[in-house]
Each structure stands twice: as C-alpha cells, then as structure tokens.
Amino acid sequence: MPKNTKKARNNKKAPKHAHRPTLPPKPSSKPKPKFPPTQHHHQQPPPRRPPPTIPFDPTHSILLISEGDFSFAYSLLTHHSCGDLTATAHEGSHAEVVAKYPAAEAHIAALVEGEGEEEEEEAGGRGRVVYGVDVLRGQWGRRLLLLLKGKKRKEGNKGKGDERTQGQTEGSTTEGWDRIVFNFPHVGGKSTDVNRQVRYNQELLVGFFTSVIPLLNAGGWILVTLFEGEPYTLWNIRDLARHSGLMLLRSFAFRAEAYPGYRHARTLGTVTTGGGGWRGEEREARTFVFGLKDDAGDGRRDDVVGKGTKRKRKRGESSSDEEDD
C-alpha cells in the first residue's frame, strides 16, 4: 500500500467547474407601484340624483301638525307658494313656542303677516297658527275645524281643554284639508327602554291617524315623515295606518334641501352642543303617503305633484310595499 495516499488525496485539486450555490436576486432599487398605472380614459360622471318629490301644490289646503319652529310652514309659504296653510303647535301659547324654538318668532310673523298675537289665535291672509294641539287628546280635530270655520264653541268645550289659536277665522270656508302633514313625530325621551319608547310612539301615530281622518277632504293625503333605520322602522307605520282605516299610496325619500329655510326641530326644543346644533335635516328620511281606503282611486301614486323615480315592484311584494327614489 502506498505511503503517501492520504497526502495525495488531500492535495487533489477541485475541478474548475465546481457547483456554486445560487444566491437570491438583489432587490430592485425602484419600489413597485402599489396601484396599477392609471389608464387614461374618459370617466363617466356620477349618476344624477332624481329631482325631489314635492307633494304640495299652491291650490292645496294644508294642515301641519306639531310644527316645532314653523320653518317647514315658512318654506311652503315663501318658496312653494302654498297660501292656504294651517300650522299647529303642541305648545299651549305663542310665548311657549318662542321660548322653546327662538327661530319660530320670525316664521310665525311671516305666516300671519304681522297681524299680532292673541291668546286664542293668530292668523293673517296667508296662514293660521294654532296652539295647544295634542294629537293624543280626543276630539281636538273636530274642535279645531269648528274654530277655523268661525263657529262658536259649545260650553262643554270651554276651559282647560280648548285649543288656542292665532288667526282671523271669521267667515272661513274651510271644510277640511287636502294635505295633513306630521313631520318626524316623536314623543320625546319618555323612557330609556326601547320597547316602551316604540310603544309610546306607536300610540302617538294611532292617535294622530284617528284624529285627522275626519278632517281629510275626499282624495286628500296624510303624510308622515320618519327617519330611516331603527328605531323608526320598529314602529311599523304601515300596519298602524292600515288598522286605522288608511292605505299606503306610496313613499319617497324626504329631501330637506327641497324646502329652503327648513331646519329640523327636536321635540325637546332647540338643543346645541359643543360641536354645534344637532342637524336632523342631514339624516336620511322617508315620507309615507296615506289615503282613505274608501276613496275610489283618488290620490293614487301617479297623481303625486312633483317628479320622482318609481321603483318596480319585485315578485312577492304587495302594492303597499311600493317605494320611490
């Protein structure tokens, strides 16, 4: 056996083309774009919103319930030329309304054309303001109608329960109203329990429907506007109206910008916080239009004043589920 075998083995040279491990590629110095390159093409403009639906006409006689600061009545008068207006307040007097809603002073003055204020009524040639209208108090609607027609009230209606009205009602020929409106009905914070609060507001709506049905002219509409979403959807306004003898004719998105000068007034009154006033007119809302079941087709969907986009009814939906916008 050769002596230098181990040494010879150690001195054996590595082949010229020995395999070398592959190193990962160096990262590129240019960062990859997070988004693909912008393609230069003509962008389509966003779809236009349909024009708002205005369910009022200058020829309509209109009754507004619990107006708050009377800004909605003021807008109907000044921007939509609705001159036959009767606006009511839950508060019992002019002073109470102004203390709760300071902006109401100017709106009421415009409605009654500066005819002054009285304990019982305020009105001018263009509008009437009625105080102390509580939809949960029975028979207020009939007494209101008699008062506005200039008739004397019976002895049994005098006293604590009477409505107070500002207005010139002598010789009025009002028999009823073509539009009866209750915007954003709410009982206020009576309870922190959601179920009880829902029940209180349902009672408010039922009381309203029951009271105003006798005041509605043939073919007239009752309009109620609510905010979208809970808890308002829990009130089941469609069912409440149906059980009260009404039928849903249609609904549409309420657009506050369609009524210049309108500001949402809270049941609690004008409330401000550190960030400014609470702006309910910026929330999504919907107006529900109801009519009497025995009206033979009067005031149906196609007769609504103003433009709106109708939504086709899906399979399985009833006509009472139809909505616009």
Side-chain angles (χ1 to χ4, degrees):
M1 186 173 184
K3 295 181 179 180
N4 298 326
T5 301
K6 185 175 181 181
K7 185 177 180 180
R9 190 182 301 125
N10 294 337
N11 292 336
K12 190 180 292 185
K13 295 181 179 180
K16 293 182 179 181
H17 301 288
H19 176 72
R20 294 180 181 179
T22 303
L23 299 176
K26 294 182 179 181
S28 175
S29 59
K30 296 181 179 181
K32 293 183 179 181
K34 295 182 179 179
F35 303 99
T38 304
Q39 297 180 358
H40 297 282
H41 63 275
H42 179 69
Q43 294 183 353
Q44 294 293 333
R48 293 183 178 180
R49 295 182 68 186
T53 299
I54 310 294
F56 305 105
D57 185 270
T59 62
H60 291 150
S61 57
I62 303 172
L63 174 63
L64 304 172
I65 303 297
S66 294
E67 257 296 88
D69 68 354
F70 291 85
S71 61
F72 189 78
Y74 177 78
S75 183
L76 288 181
L77 177 69
T78 57
H79 294 279
H80 296 285
S81 302
C82 297
D84 191 353
L85 288 172
T86 301
T88 73
H90 182 271
E91 293 74 25
S93 68
H94 179 98
E96 286 184 45
V97 171
V98 174
K100 195 172 182 180
Y101 307 104
E105 182 80 67
H107 299 149
I108 293 173
L111 284 170
V112 302
E113 294 185 315
E115 290 292 332
E117 63 179 87
E118 304 171 7
E119 279 301 308
E120 290 194 345
E121 74 178 86
E122 253 188 304
R126 299 192 294 176
R128 304 179 186 90
V129 176
V130 184
Y131 301 105
V133 173
D134 184 351
V135 298
L136 293 179
R137 191 172 72 222
Q139 300 300 314
W140 68 265
R142 179 176 176 275
R143 295 200 300 272
L144 172 63
L145 189 59
L146 291 175
L147 178 61
L148 293 180
K149 290 176 70 174
K151 295 182 178 180
K152 292 183 179 181
R153 286 167 287 183
K154 297 180 180 180
E155 287 294 325
N157 291 334
K158 292 182 179 179
K160 185 177 179 180
D162 287 344
E163 292 81 11
R164 298 183 217 173
T165 314
Q166 282 181 286
Q168 297 172 342
T169 59
E170 190 66 33
S172 173
T173 57
T174 301
E175 295 294 337
W177 285 273
D178 302 317
R179 300 288 185 266
I180 301 178
V181 185
F182 202 172
N183 286 329
F184 305 101
H186 201 284
V187 296
K190 280 192 171 184
S191 174
T192 57
D193 182 83
V194 174
N195 293 329
R196 288 185 179 180
Q197 193 74 353
V198 167
R199 186 167 63 251
Y200 292 146
N201 283 288
Q202 288 177 327
E203 292 172 356
L204 175 67
L205 286 173
V206 171
F208 164 71
F209 289 140
T210 304
S211 297
V212 301
I213 284 176
L215 309 181
L216 193 64
N217 286 337
W221 298 346
I222 296 172
L223 301 100
V224 181
T225 301
L226 301 176
F227 288 122
E228 297 274 27
E230 292 187 359
Y232 307 97
T233 53
L234 301 177
W235 298 2
N236 296 321
I237 187 172
R238 293 176 175 86
D239 292 337
L240 299 178
R242 184 172 65 252
H243 291 307
S244 299
L246 298 170
M247 60 183 296
L248 178 68
L249 302 178
R250 68 173 296 183
S251 72
F252 54 86
F254 175 83
R255 305 260 289 276
E257 67 269 20
Y259 304 95
Y262 165 71
R263 294 292 181 269
H264 181 84
R266 300 187 68 174
T267 305
L268 298 176
T270 301
V271 179
T272 59
T273 61
W278 184 81
R279 299 180 63 82
E281 61 271 12
E282 296 178 356
R283 294 182 58 178
E284 292 186 357
R286 180 160 292 273
T287 298
F288 299 87
V289 182
F290 301 100
L292 298 176
K293 289 182 179 180
D294 55 359
D295 275 351
D298 291 331
R300 292 288 185 169
R301 290 166 52 89
D302 296 338
D303 299 330
V304 172
V305 176
K307 297 179 181 180
T309 303
K310 294 182 180 179
R311 180 179 67 84
K312 294 183 178 179
R313 190 166 69 238
K314 297 179 181 179
R315 183 178 298 176
E317 286 184 334
S318 65
S319 59
S320 63
D321 293 325
E322 291 181 328
E323 297 180 349
D324 300 336
D325 297 349

